[in-house]
Amino acid sequence: MSAVTGSDTVSPIADILADEHPSVSAVEHCLDRIAKRDHVVGAWAYLDRDLAIEQARARDGEQRRSPLHGIPVGIKDIIETGDQPTGYGSSLWAGWQPAQDAEVVRRLRRDGAVILGKTTTTEFATYRPTATRNPHGLDRTPGGSSSGSAAAVADGQVPLALGTQTAGSVLRPGSFCGVFTLKPTYGRWPFDGVLPVALTFDTVGVFARHPAWLGAVDESLSTDGAATPRTTVLPALRNLRVGILRPPWADRATPAAAALLDEFAENLQGVVADVRDVPVPDELDALDRAHTLIMAVEASASLTDRIARPHVERVSEQLHRFLNEGRTAAPSEVQRAREVLRDVRTFVGQVFADVDVLVTLAAPGEAPPIESGTGDPVFNKLASIAGCPAVGLPAGRGFGGLPLGIQIIAPHHADQGLVRIATCLTDRVGLAHRFEVHDEGGRP
């Protein structure tokens, strides 16, 4: 699969920086693309063209602060912004204006990024889909809950966008939309000013047009400017020991996705030091249900105050059922679920004594039809429970022509090494840098 470029994709950073007014040019390019395409994609919850241009002009008048200086970034609409409203994907909060930025937004601004606008999210980052559509097939979901961030980056409307992941809300939509993603080590990026759903798992993540940009975002968000972030060193690619996860939920993958994983593993032979299968114990199949229950329990506490009782009819029935499941869960059931989470973390810790990274699918297959929901996050839950960093790579296409993704998981705080490996593999194993999107919204 060769890299595809086109006149409608966001300019590479090198081209942007060569311009006389690089940030204004980049922002205008994004805004023009949005004007041309977003009436069919629907990736944005809020945009202020004048504010975006104003930020860009200010950045062009300053010395460069970081690799992100002047680069437009989309922000998922559960992440608070002091100059743009935050609606949490719910009509209950439409137009609400936070008093200040979330800490991740503050750090992006500190490093010179331009906050282009707010991208759509499912209702309170849970289940009810947005109107956003997958740029590779407008009848398909972009995934959730970070729907707008994935779709906007995939469609060339912005080069970078922040999302969040509680189950699979970064890696899965990244796979469906054919873009690169990073879910960092749990707690590595600050969560202050972000809507909590289930803080046992909640993590800010990022979508990008190239894996190297993932590292630039991690460099920005993992430090407050005073302390150096923790680092776990990974071997060079040629010395890397790779484990291919063989989980009991593998039967939920489509034949095309399963074949892609096998092909990816085969292509690693001779590129890395060792490739071996890593079977997941059958009893850890319980992680899917355990994660869902703990998420429901914690969401029932964290979201209750966000739902105004006089307007309860404006909250979806699906969200009501989910929160009620959490409120009424038996204590013994919750304890058993937490035991499963502990077992998952123990298993992952033991595996990393024998391999350096784990490889699995980023989603079970191609993006499902939009009416079917936002897709199954089961392949993402192991990394979400363990708190490990994971990158998603667009690695191929399914039988229907839509993107398929691979996920690489590393030990805690190996984020930079993981991005380096992802960047190397993008070139060495034939991964596509971009997936072309036709303006008509058809599949490539």
Side-chain angles (χ1 to χ4, degrees):
M1 289 151 284
S2 59
V4 178
T5 59
S7 59
D8 290 320
T9 59
V10 173
S11 302
I13 288 181
D15 294 344
I16 292 171
L17 298 181
D19 196 279
E20 185 178 359
H21 303 288
S23 186
V24 169
S25 295
V27 168
E28 287 180 341
H29 183 99
C30 291
L31 292 172
D32 289 350
R33 177 68 175 173
I34 291 167
K36 182 179 182 180
R37 286 279 295 165
D38 205 49
H39 67 286
V40 293
V41 176
W44 296 91
Y46 181 83
L47 278 169
D48 184 330
R49 183 183 181 94
D50 292 339
L51 178 61
I53 295 294
E54 178 185 337
Q55 291 178 74
R57 286 175 178 155
R59 299 294 79 77
D60 283 342
E62 303 169 348
Q63 283 195 323
R64 284 178 50 77
R65 307 179 197 173
S66 80
L68 296 179
H69 189 95
I71 302 301
V73 182
I75 305 294
K76 183 177 179 177
D77 200 32
I78 68 165
I79 302 173
E80 295 175 4
T81 42
D83 58 357
Q84 301 175 39
T86 299
Y88 303 129
S90 170
S91 61
L92 291 173
W93 288 80
W96 178 68
Q97 180 60 62
Q100 61 187 19
D101 289 334
E103 179 61 14
V104 286
V105 175
R106 187 195 70 79
R107 292 185 184 186
L108 288 174
R109 293 193 201 269
R110 174 202 65 196
D111 289 344
V114 172
I115 305 306
L116 189 66
K118 306 302 288 290
T119 56
T120 61
T121 175
T122 61
E123 179 187 35
F124 295 109
T126 57
Y127 294 106
R128 184 167 64 179
T130 70
T132 310
R133 294 177 179 269
N134 192 316
H136 294 275
L138 298 178
D139 61 336
R140 301 300 181 109
T141 179
S145 60
S146 306
S147 310
S149 291
V153 172
D155 197 55
Q157 298 180 19
V158 70
L160 290 169
L162 294 188
T164 62
Q165 178 160 313
T166 304
S169 296
V170 170
L171 290 155
R172 184 174 84 262
S175 179
F176 287 165
C177 290
V179 297
F180 295 91
T181 55
L182 171 63
K183 181 202 78 69
T185 298
Y186 178 81
R188 183 176 173 89
W189 298 357
F191 209 75
D192 304 303
V194 184
L195 175 73
V197 177
L199 283 173
T200 293
F201 314 112
D202 289 339
T203 309
V204 177
V206 63
F207 301 81
R209 302 282 292 175
H210 188 278
W213 295 20
L214 305 174
V217 174
D218 178 66
E219 288 179 356
S220 175
L221 299 186
S222 62
T223 176
D224 60 5
T228 301
R230 291 173 54 190
T231 300
T232 299
V233 177
L234 291 176
L237 188 63
R238 65 180 178 276
N239 298 324
L240 200 67
R241 300 169 302 165
V242 177
I244 308 300
L245 277 178
R246 301 297 183 184
W249 51 89
D251 60 355
R252 289 158 74 168
T254 64
L260 175 72
L261 180 61
D262 289 340
E263 178 186 0
F264 188 87
E266 182 178 348
N267 287 339
L268 288 175
Q269 300 285 350
V271 176
V272 300
D274 182 37
V275 181
R276 69 185 74 172
D277 284 351
V278 176
V280 179
D282 288 344
E283 59 267 25
L284 289 191
D285 194 19
L287 71 78
D288 189 16
R289 171 60 188 159
H291 176 282
T292 299
L293 180 62
I294 297 304
M295 182 177 166
V297 169
E298 296 189 7
S300 70
S302 63
L303 297 181
T304 295
D305 290 343
R306 309 275 178 173
I307 301 172
R309 290 184 181 277
H311 304 287
V312 71
E313 71 281 357
R314 291 160 63 186
V315 176
S316 70
E317 182 59 33
Q318 188 175 19
L319 179 58
H320 274 303
R321 290 196 303 268
F322 179 63
L323 298 183
N324 186 63
E325 178 184 5
R327 281 191 295 267
T328 59
S332 59
E333 188 180 7
V334 175
Q335 287 180 324
R336 283 194 297 273
R338 293 200 182 277
E339 288 178 357
V340 172
L341 303 189
R342 181 196 62 203
D343 292 343
V344 169
R345 292 165 185 146
T346 298
F347 165 75
V348 171
Q350 291 170 341
V351 167
F352 281 134
D354 296 320
V355 300
D356 300 306
V357 298
L358 293 167
V359 170
T360 186
L361 293 171
E366 297 173 83
I370 199 162
E371 64 271 12
S372 299
T374 60
D376 183 356
V378 67
F379 283 92
N380 313 124
K381 289 189 174 185
L382 185 139
S384 290
I385 291 169
C388 294
V391 294
L393 310 177
R397 296 189 185 277
F399 299 147
L402 295 170
L404 296 172
I406 292 292
Q407 175 186 184
I408 307 177
I409 305 168
H412 292 171
H413 296 290
D415 303 62
Q416 283 291 319
L418 184 58
V419 170
R420 172 178 53 80
I421 289 166
T423 303
C424 291
L425 288 176
T426 295
D427 300 325
R428 293 287 297 275
V429 189
L431 304 182
H433 285 216
R434 299 181 183 92
F435 279 68
E436 183 180 25
V437 174
H438 293 310
D439 288 350
E440 295 79 14
R443 300 173 191 173

